């Protein structure tokens, strides 16, 4: 069985420095905008100033008269797309406007400055129709057929109403999370060039091949005539997991100037429309427990939004289906279809907002049951995964909670809310659990070729979004092939190499690493230990039969100290502890950074991030980093990060579970629980800002 | 962003004369505010006259014992000046509470004073705004207005002034020296910034072509017992929800003199004269500080999202004065 093949080389697990580090710090690693292209044109988009309706006229004469302007692209002159089935991507095919700031055109010019200036001179007139751009609990809601990643919309087991009526302790809570925007450091960027029917895209993406497949379909060309290049990516966080309209706009405009590359980097302000975001959520959770603090009933009902032009249904309550044991459980998701951009993946879609609500509710319920929140969670630890009925391949949540409690000093906590003050600071501690599924995306293929001189080339199209994949994949390749890391020539980030699935859902290492192991196995089988130069094999991520036998999830626990100024209600977090059970850690150094990044994003979700939509205008009005807050260095205190040794022989040949997102899941709740312990004020609506605490 | 002409003047006279003849020109110093606004086309000057090197970049003593701060002194240099730190600590603290290290290196004293008021609707040229287009309406009054004014606003504009430095200077009775087409004048800082009234497009009382050349701080001994407290949602690089600059003179537990100015609450740095008046000659107690704050905030008119600023301002005024009364003993 392939999944029990274990490595002996020792590269996996080493704290290897990033192999791309020197290139990045010396500025020689090319990001999408920086690839050298000849004679480029620069694109600046035109965006709708109404929410819904029709473009009735475009006067581009002033823009076209500007020196350096080559063409103003609008629906009146844009080439036809071959496939307009995806209405998010089918831009400039008609004058219809479906949301505020939707692309209605673009200026191409010889300089960025001329393009931007000209864009401001184009006069667009509209026929406006009524719109609804704000999520309201009492608005029209519908039931989607399924959720993101294929999860069922609703689940029900047992008899929740009966269980609630007989529960010794009950909790009824309403929690909300706001709209949030991904905002990687590198904004979405495309350089597009058409030559003799071939399209090349230098793209900032989490998946070169998924982009290739999408653009090939939309432009009606053979897949192998579209090449996507993405060796370095400045962060994605989900928004670069699927191509958005900005990529299509660049490629569409480039069709009008055959042979000339078109460069389009969206501005920070433009990041707040059209490249995905997290839906706001309204979550109702009810918990029932017996007198021993064992959950007898759990319901989690979610309201969230999608766009009228394309559905995205975040799986917010999916975590509740398996996190804790109970015989009676219901989860539901209802959507409001609005005149808004299409929501998409953002930093643990589903798990992050869902676990904020569930783990806040668990904290409240622990208090009602008179139990320590760690003990309450341990009492409700399930034997098997309730969603699939399967045992876990490994589940070490309890070990994480216990280890974290020890490291953090949980026993020194004063359980009574608002019972600990130091100077003008109210001090509180909070805990929350984390979980994230092991997704195994199919279809990735890896090529291994012996290039002589003890060098093995390992090739596939995967993107390193800044997480350290260049380094981790080199380590995996070394152990899989049975050589040192210096003998590996890794080549990724280009569709010229074999297909690789998206760097999303914390799945990259599982999918690509499994393909590497399979290719290495076949390579040795065919070419032995002394291959000839040019010997080569290609292999695919094999199916893992163990997924039929085991539920596979990573787990973790967070501990947070929050301080709240008694006069101003400013919240600061001087320390966080995170303990993870995520299988084998491939690279301790980059893994620590990923966990720290996740926990920082969780803190950011708890205290800072909130996209404010003005319903009258239909768009996010705090559209820059002065107004949309993320933490500064000064907001991040001591980060104590560790993991337990977990040997999971079932997940994949590396024994790894994926660590990109688990740091985010639950950490926001740990902050909220700590703020409650500090102040006695339970904030159920993120973010936790001073205005919600001041009395 | 619109193209513009860039001019470097030889001296202050030349810069003033150039601007006087160019109605759509603007002075450029650090550019940390203006250039951002030009990118967004909120500001569209057709000419920038670079004044960065024209005025003094030093802090010097005055004959009366006060200090003169050249308009070109960078925020970071001013914050670090030992005379400022020892005699006017609130000013140094305010500067360090503002922006980021990079911005403080670039931003100047004159430019910081002339930062524009902030409002997300003003910064977005696709939404109505009386400050950008007089008569088009105020989007913030019935929109998202958590960061907006609770004092001195009008039906035309509820924006707030973002400067930390100016709040400290307002508490410290600064004077602004200005040179313009009509010659030189000296303006109490109270009269530099203005409330929106029915002319929200005007942030200050300066006329077109007037250039700030320096700022004078008076020689007031008890200003060495001053403090700046900024409340913000994150620990750095955020505008104030509310800030307080205060200076306190206490003798035998009695308030001899006091200065209080608030940031984040109005279209200008808000000098809390009512609170000051209520405190002079009274015992320096928490109850009196709180009562004085309440007197100042009696006129507050919160909007949909910013009622929290009233208790917040009251708490911060009280706490800052208490801190000063303890430190000032």
């Amino acid at each position: 069985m392939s999944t029990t093949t274990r490595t002996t080389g020792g590269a996996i697990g080493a704290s290897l420095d990033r192999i791309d580090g020197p290139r990045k710090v010396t500025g020689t690693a090319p990001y999408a905008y920086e690839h050298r292209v000849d004679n480029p044109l620069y694109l600046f988009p035109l965006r709708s100033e109404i929410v819904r309706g029709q473009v009735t006229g475009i006067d581009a004469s002033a823009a076209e008269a500007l020196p350096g302007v080559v063409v103003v692209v609008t629906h009146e002159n844009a080439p036809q797309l071959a496939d307009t089935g995806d209405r998010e991507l089918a831009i400039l095919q008609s004058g219809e406007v479906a949301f505020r700031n939707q692309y209605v055109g673009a200026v191409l010019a010889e300089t960025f400055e001329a393009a931007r200036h000209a864009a401001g001179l184009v006069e667009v007139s509209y026929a406006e129709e009524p719109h609804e751009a704000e999520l309201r609990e009492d608005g029209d809601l519908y039931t989607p057929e399924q959720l993101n990643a294929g999860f069922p919309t609703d689940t029900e087991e047992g008899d929740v109403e009966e269980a609630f009526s007989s529960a010794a302790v009950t909790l009824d809570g309403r929690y909300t999370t706001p709209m949030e925007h991904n905002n990687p450091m590198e904004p979405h960027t495309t350089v597009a060039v058409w030559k003799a029917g071939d399209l090349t895209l230098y793209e900032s993406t989490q998946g070169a091949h998924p982009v290739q497949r999408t653009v090939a379909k939309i432009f009606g060309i053979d897949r192998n005539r579209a090449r996507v290049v993405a060796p370095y990516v400045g962060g994605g966080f989900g928004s670069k997991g699927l191509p958005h309209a900005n990529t299509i706009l660049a490629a569409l405009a480039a069709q009008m100037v055959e042979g000339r590359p078109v460069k389009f980097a969206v501005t920070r302000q433009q990041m707040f429309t059209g490249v995905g975001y997290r839906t706001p959520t309204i979550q109702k959770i009810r918990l029932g427990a017996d007198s021993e603090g064992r959950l007898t009933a759990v319901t989690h009902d979610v309201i969230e939004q999608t766009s009228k032009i394309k559905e995205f249904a975040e799986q917010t309550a999916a975590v509740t289906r398996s996190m804790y044991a109970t015989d009676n459980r219901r989860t539901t998701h209802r959507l409001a279809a609005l005149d808004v951009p299409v929501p998409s993946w953002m930093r643990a879609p589903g798990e992050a907002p869902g676990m904020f609500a569930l783990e806040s509710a668990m904290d409240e319920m622990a208090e009602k049951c008179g139990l320590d929140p760690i003990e309450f969670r341990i009492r409700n630890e399930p034997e098997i995964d309730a969603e699939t009925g399967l045992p876990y391949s490994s589940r070490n949540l309890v070990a994480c909670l216990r280890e974290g409690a020890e490291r953090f000093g949980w026993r020194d906590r004063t359980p009574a809310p608002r019972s600990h003050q130091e100077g003008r600071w109210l001090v509180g501690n909070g805990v929350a659990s984390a979980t994230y599924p092991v997704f195994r995306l199919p279809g990735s293929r890896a090529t291994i070729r012996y290039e002589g001189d003890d060098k093995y080339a390992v090739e596939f199209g995967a993107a390193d979004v800044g997480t350290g994949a260049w380094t981790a994949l080199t380590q995996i390749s070394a152990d899989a092939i049975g050589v040192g890391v210096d003998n590996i020539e890794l080549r990724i980030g280009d569709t010229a190499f074999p297909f690789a699935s998206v760097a999303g859902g914390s799945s990259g290492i599982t999918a690509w690493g499994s393909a590497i192991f399979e290719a290495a196995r076949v390579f040795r089988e065919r070419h032995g230990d002394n291959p000839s130069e040019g010997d080569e094999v290609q292999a695919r991520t094999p199916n893992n039969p163990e997924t039929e036998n085991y539920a596979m999830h990573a787990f973790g626990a967070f501990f947070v100290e929050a301080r709240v100024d008694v006069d101003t209600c400013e919240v600061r977090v001087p320390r966080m502890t995170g303990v993870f059970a995520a299988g084998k850690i491939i690279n301790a150094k980059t893994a620590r950074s990923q966990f720290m990044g996740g926990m920082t994003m969780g803190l950011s979700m708890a205290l800072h991030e909130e996209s404010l939509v003005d319903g009258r205008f239909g768009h996010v009005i705090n559209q820059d980093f002065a107004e949309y807050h993320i933490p500064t260095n000064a907001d991040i205190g001591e980060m104590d990060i560790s993991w337990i040794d977990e040997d999971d022989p079932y997940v994949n040949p590396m024994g790894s579970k994926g660590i990109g997102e688990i740091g985010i899941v639950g950490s926001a709740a740990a902050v909220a629980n700590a703020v409650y312990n500090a102040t006695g004020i339970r904030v159920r609506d993120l973010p936790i800002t001073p205005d919600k605490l001041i009395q | 962003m619109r193209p513009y002409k860039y001019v470097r003047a030889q001296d202050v006279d030349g810069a003033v004369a150039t601007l006087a003849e160019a109605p759509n020109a603007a002075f450029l110093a650090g550019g940390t505010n203006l250039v951002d606004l030009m990118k967004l086309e909120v500001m569209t000057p057709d000419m920038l006259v670079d004044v960065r090197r024209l005025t003094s970049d030093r802090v010097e003593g005055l004959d009366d014992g006060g200090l003169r701060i050249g308009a070109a002194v960078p925020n970071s240099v001013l914050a670090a000046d030992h005379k400022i730190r020892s005699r006017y600590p609130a000013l140094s603290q305010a500067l360090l509470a503002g922006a980021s290290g990079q911005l403080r290196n670039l931003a100047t004293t004159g430019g910081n004073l002339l930062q524009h008021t902030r409002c997300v609707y003003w910064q977005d040229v696709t939404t109505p705004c009386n400050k950008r287009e007089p008569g088009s309406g105020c989007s913030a009054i019935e929109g998202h207005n958590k960061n907006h004014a609770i004092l001195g606003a009008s039906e035309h504009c509820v924006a707030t002034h973002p400067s930390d430095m100016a709040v400290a200077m307002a508490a410290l009775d600064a004077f602004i020296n200005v040179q313009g087409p009509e010659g030189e004048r000296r303006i109490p800082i109270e009269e530099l910034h203005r409330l929106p009234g029915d002319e929200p497009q005007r942030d200050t009382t300066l006329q077109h072509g007037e250039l700030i050349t320096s700022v004078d701080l008076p020689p007031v001994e008890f200003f060495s017992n001053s403090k700046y407290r900024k409340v913000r949602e994150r620990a750095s690089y955020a505008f104030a929800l509310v800030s307080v600059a205060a200076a306190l003179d206490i003798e035998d537990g009695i308030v001899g003199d006091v200065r209080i100015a608030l940031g984040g609450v109005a279209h200008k740095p808000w000098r809390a004269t009512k609170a000051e008046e209520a405190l002079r000659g009274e015992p320096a107690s928490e109850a009196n500080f709180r009562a004085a704050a309440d007197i100042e905030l009696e006129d507050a008119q919160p909007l949909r999202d910013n009622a929290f600023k009233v208790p917040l301002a009251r708490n911060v005024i009280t706490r800052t004065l208490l801190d000063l009364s303890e430190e000032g003993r």
Side-chain angles (χ1 to χ4, degrees):
Chain A
M1 183 173 61
S2 64
T3 50
T4 55
T5 307
R6 301 312 303 270
T7 63
T8 52
I12 291 177
S15 265
L16 199 64
D17 287 347
R18 280 171 187 264
I19 60 174
D20 50 336
R23 273 170 274 168
K24 285 186 172 170
V25 297
T26 56
T28 53
Y31 289 81
Y33 204 76
E34 300 167 337
H35 288 276
R36 285 185 193 193
V37 291
D38 289 333
N39 204 19
L41 290 169
Y42 297 84
L43 184 153
F44 201 86
L46 308 173
R47 305 191 302 159
S48 70
E49 295 190 8
I50 61 162
V51 184
R52 195 164 77 88
Q54 294 285 329
V55 174
T56 52
I58 296 168
D59 180 359
S61 52
E64 284 164 344
L66 271 191
V69 172
V70 173
V71 63
V72 178
V73 188
T74 70
H75 73 280
E76 292 170 354
N77 61 359
Q80 274 203 324
L81 296 170
D83 186 317
T84 56
D86 184 331
R87 291 176 67 203
E88 178 187 6
L89 302 180
I91 51 169
L92 309 194
Q93 301 300 293
S94 76
E96 187 191 350
V97 173
F99 56 85
R100 176 65 187 255
N101 284 340
Q102 190 175 21
Y103 295 132
V104 294
V107 178
L108 292 186
E110 300 288 347
T111 65
F112 172 75
E113 290 78 9
R116 188 170 194 169
H117 178 205
L121 300 177
V122 178
E123 299 281 346
V124 181
S125 46
Y126 302 93
E128 200 172 349
E129 291 161 34
H131 68 261
E132 181 57 60
E134 276 181 300
L135 178 62
R136 294 200 336 263
E137 208 165 348
D138 57 357
D140 289 338
L141 302 173
Y142 76 97
T143 308
E145 275 189 24
Q146 61 170 22
L147 306 174
N148 177 50
F151 287 96
T153 304
D154 296 346
T155 60
E156 180 137 23
E157 50 185 308
D159 185 339
V160 290
E161 294 311 325
E162 166 60 28
F164 277 123
S165 63
S166 58
V169 186
T170 58
L171 173 89
D172 200 336
R174 179 183 182 275
Y175 306 85
T176 66
T177 62
M179 176 186 286
E180 297 159 346
H181 280 79
N182 310 56
N183 273 309
M185 185 83 86
E186 179 200 26
H188 289 227
T189 301
T190 303
V191 180
V193 58
W194 288 90
K195 274 185 185 152
D198 287 345
L199 172 63
T200 303
L201 296 177
Y202 300 95
E203 178 79 357
S204 185
T205 178
Q206 292 169 231
H209 283 97
V211 172
Q212 177 200 40
R213 288 173 178 216
T214 302
V215 296
K217 183 169 171 230
I218 284 183
F219 288 94
I221 57 174
D222 197 74
R223 227 178 248 170
N224 58 26
R225 304 202 70 171
R227 180 180 171 200
V228 179
V229 182
Y232 300 99
V233 180
F237 310 109
S239 66
K240 294 176 186 166
L242 299 164
H244 297 290
N246 60 297
T247 302
I248 307 304
L249 183 62
L252 190 64
Q255 266 190 320
M256 299 177 72
V257 290
E258 165 85 21
R260 294 196 71 178
V262 167
K263 303 182 80 163
F264 177 25
V266 308
T267 64
R268 185 57 64 190
Q269 285 85 1
Q270 291 162 2
M271 287 293 291
F272 289 84
T273 302
V275 294
Y277 62 95
R278 193 196 305 283
T279 172
T281 69
I282 301 166
Q283 306 179 50
K284 289 185 178 163
I285 290 191
R286 291 169 75 199
L287 301 177
D290 65 19
S291 55
E292 303 292 306
R294 287 189 178 79
L295 289 168
T296 53
V298 176
T299 63
H300 193 167
D301 299 305
V302 181
I303 293 171
E304 50 202 14
Q305 77 182 44
T306 185
S307 170
K308 277 183 190 161
I309 61 167
K310 182 174 165 180
E311 184 181 278
F312 178 85
E314 184 144 343
Q315 70 275 29
T316 301
V319 275
T320 300
R321 294 168 185 169
S322 61
M323 195 64 204
Y324 297 109
T326 185
D327 292 332
N328 305 288
R329 180 171 3 221
R330 184 187 74 221
T331 62
T332 66
H333 296 79
R334 297 294 176 268
L335 296 185
L338 303 175
D339 303 303
V340 294
V342 185
S344 189
W345 302 336
M346 174 167 170
R347 309 182 204 150
E351 288 83 7
M355 281 289 270
F356 161 68
L358 179 63
E359 289 297 287
S360 295
M362 287 295 284
D363 199 63
E364 295 191 49
M365 193 63 171
E367 189 182 29
K368 283 191 164 210
C369 292
L371 289 172
D372 177 271
I374 295 175
E375 173 57 27
F376 180 56
R377 285 173 173 82
I378 291 172
R379 280 194 196 182
N380 289 288
E381 179 73 359
E383 296 283 320
I384 58 163
D385 173 40
E387 192 168 23
T388 57
L390 296 173
Y392 287 96
S393 62
S394 53
R395 175 172 167 128
N396 286 300
L397 172 62
V398 173
C400 291
L401 286 164
R402 290 198 165 124
E403 169 79 8
E406 192 60 35
R407 295 179 72 96
F408 184 80
W410 184 255
R411 72 167 70 87
D412 299 332
R413 172 186 192 250
T414 51
R418 211 182 180 98
S419 60
H420 181 188
Q421 186 166 345
E422 291 178 19
R424 303 305 295 169
W425 292 108
L426 299 168
V427 183
N429 296 335
V431 64
S433 305
T435 187
Y436 197 83
V438 180
F439 286 115
R440 187 182 183 92
L441 301 185
S444 292
R445 288 178 288 135
T447 291
I448 294 178
R449 186 186 319 106
Y450 182 62
E451 298 194 328
D453 201 21
D454 285 335
K455 291 279 186 198
Y456 289 82
V458 179
E459 299 175 344
F460 48 96
D464 181 339
V465 292
T467 51
W470 273 103
T471 312
L473 293 168
T474 299
Q475 291 171 266
I476 290 168
S477 300
D479 280 5
I481 297 170
V483 296
V485 289
D486 294 339
N487 303 100
I488 301 298
E489 282 288 336
L490 183 72
R491 294 176 192 135
I492 59 172
D494 194 328
T495 55
F497 304 128
F499 177 87
S501 55
V502 68
S506 303
S507 70
I509 292 297
T510 292
W512 314 325
S514 299
I516 294 171
F517 263 86
E518 182 65 6
R521 187 185 64 76
V522 176
F523 186 93
R524 290 298 180 216
E525 208 171 83
R526 286 198 198 148
H527 303 297
D529 287 340
N530 294 299
S532 310
E533 195 171 327
D535 282 348
E536 168 178 328
V537 301
Q538 195 179 100
R540 189 182 286 267
T541 305
N543 288 330
N544 179 5
E546 298 294 356
T547 56
E548 305 290 316
N549 305 324
Y550 295 99
M552 300 176 184
H553 298 258
F555 292 90
F558 302 106
F559 296 78
V560 168
E561 177 183 321
R563 293 183 167 236
V564 182
D565 187 288
V566 72
D567 299 302
T568 67
C569 294
E570 289 165 291
V571 182
R572 302 289 183 256
V573 174
R575 62 191 185 107
M576 284 177 93
T577 290
V579 181
F580 301 92
K584 181 78 178 171
I585 298 302
I586 308 292
N587 181 319
K589 200 170 217 171
T590 56
R592 185 176 180 280
S593 295
Q594 275 193 279
F595 288 132
M596 181 160 38
M599 288 160 65
T600 302
M601 290 179 235
L603 180 144
S604 187
M605 181 180 182
L607 300 182
H608 300 301
E609 292 185 64
E610 179 174 28
S611 303
L612 296 168
V613 171
D614 189 315
R616 297 167 299 173
F617 308 115
H619 68 301
V620 174
I621 51 109
N622 56 334
Q623 49 192 332
D624 60 37
F625 281 166
E627 304 291 338
Y628 183 93
H629 285 180
I630 54 175
T632 65
N633 281 328
D635 291 290
I636 305 302
E638 184 192 338
M639 287 275 192
D640 169 38
I641 291 154
S642 64
W643 46 88
I644 62 167
D645 257 341
E646 189 173 68
D647 187 18
D648 189 325
Y650 307 113
V651 280
N652 57 44
M654 292 75 64
S656 65
K657 286 181 170 177
I659 58 173
E661 284 154 290
I662 190 164
I664 311 162
V665 180
S667 43
V671 175
N673 296 342
V675 169
Y676 171 74
N677 182 237
T679 62
I681 300 167
R682 174 67 62 179
V683 179
R684 300 184 182 87
D685 306 292
L686 294 184
I688 304 167
T689 43
D691 53 303
K692 294 174 185 165
L693 294 166
I694 201 147
Q695 291 172 325
Chain B
M1 191 171 190
R2 311 270 177 88
Y4 58 90
K5 197 171 156 190
Y6 172 85
V7 179
R8 183 175 282 174
Q10 294 306 306
D11 52 30
V12 170
D13 288 344
V16 169
T18 304
L19 220 73
E21 287 170 15
N24 296 318
F27 292 128
L28 174 74
T32 57
N33 188 215
L34 177 61
V35 174
D36 280 354
L37 295 168
M38 288 170 66
K39 287 182 186 170
L40 299 172
E41 297 195 1
V42 175
M43 309 294 289
T44 53
D46 56 13
M47 183 199 296
L48 294 183
V49 180
D50 192 333
V51 297
R52 174 94 198 200
R53 295 170 198 190
L54 305 187
T55 57
S56 166
D57 62 358
R58 298 176 60 185
V59 182
E60 293 170 299
L62 291 169
D63 290 344
D64 68 358
L67 291 181
R68 173 160 294 173
I69 303 160
V73 175
N75 290 176
S76 50
V77 171
L78 186 58
D81 186 279
H82 75 273
K83 299 181 290 292
I84 299 292
R85 288 166 57 99
S86 58
R87 293 175 55 192
Y88 309 94
L91 178 55
S92 178
Q93 292 162 12
L95 284 156
L96 292 175
S100 65
Q102 294 95 323
L103 288 169
R104 291 194 294 269
N105 285 339
L106 205 54
T108 64
T109 305
N112 188 323
L113 282 169
L114 297 182
Q115 279 181 86
H116 292 278
T117 55
R118 281 189 70 85
C119 169
V120 288
Y121 298 98
W122 178 64
Q123 286 166 239
D124 182 341
V125 296
T126 68
T127 56
C129 168
N130 287 325
K131 189 180 280 288
R132 217 178 335 95
E133 280 179 58
S136 63
C138 172
S139 297
I141 286 177
E142 291 179 358
H144 290 288
N145 47 34
K146 179 178 176 180
N147 296 321
H148 290 70
I150 56 170
L151 288 164
S154 75
E155 60 182 316
H156 304 289
C157 181
V158 293
T160 48
H161 197 269
S163 173
D164 295 295
M165 183 194 81
V167 176
M169 286 182 173
L172 301 173
D173 293 330
F175 281 85
I176 314 301
N177 297 308
V178 168
Q179 186 173 333
E182 314 284 318
E184 296 179 20
R185 62 187 183 117
R186 180 174 159 86
I187 313 168
I189 190 167
E190 261 297 283
E191 294 168 23
L192 175 66
H193 302 98
R194 56 185 299 285
L195 293 174
D198 54 10
E199 283 185 293
Q201 67 275 22
R202 290 178 58 214
D203 282 356
T204 71
T205 57
L206 294 186
Q207 300 301 312
H208 182 73
E210 283 191 312
L211 179 68
I212 294 176
T213 54
S214 61
V215 176
D216 293 346
L217 295 177
V220 179
E221 204 169 321
F222 79 90
F223 285 0
S224 63
N225 186 38
S226 66
K227 185 176 175 112
Y228 187 73
R229 177 74 185 271
K230 179 177 183 179
V231 182
R232 46 186 157 177
E233 290 179 351
R234 61 182 168 191
S236 172
Y237 199 46
F239 293 99
L241 294 172
V242 169
S243 69
V244 173
L248 186 62
D249 180 30
I250 299 186
E251 209 161 312
D252 298 329
I254 302 296
V255 176
D257 206 352
V258 62
R259 301 283 186 280
I260 304 166
L262 305 176
V265 297
H267 197 263
K268 60 183 288 188
W270 186 266
R271 180 72 177 266
T273 48
K274 288 182 186 170
E276 291 176 9
E277 203 153 313
L279 284 170
R280 286 193 187 98
E282 298 295 322
S285 68
E286 178 166 357
N288 283 342
F289 293 152
R290 192 166 289 274
D294 282 337
I295 289 168
E296 190 66 44
L297 294 164
E298 251 170 27
D299 299 332
Q301 289 189 301
L303 303 159
R304 185 190 77 188
D305 301 333
N306 67 5
F308 73 97
K309 285 188 176 185
V310 177
L312 181 57
R314 185 208 311 124
N315 288 357
V316 185
I317 292 169
T318 306
R319 174 52 42 190
T320 305
L321 293 172
L322 275 171
D323 287 348
L324 287 171
S325 58
E326 282 156 21
E327 287 157 21
R329 271 171 203 151

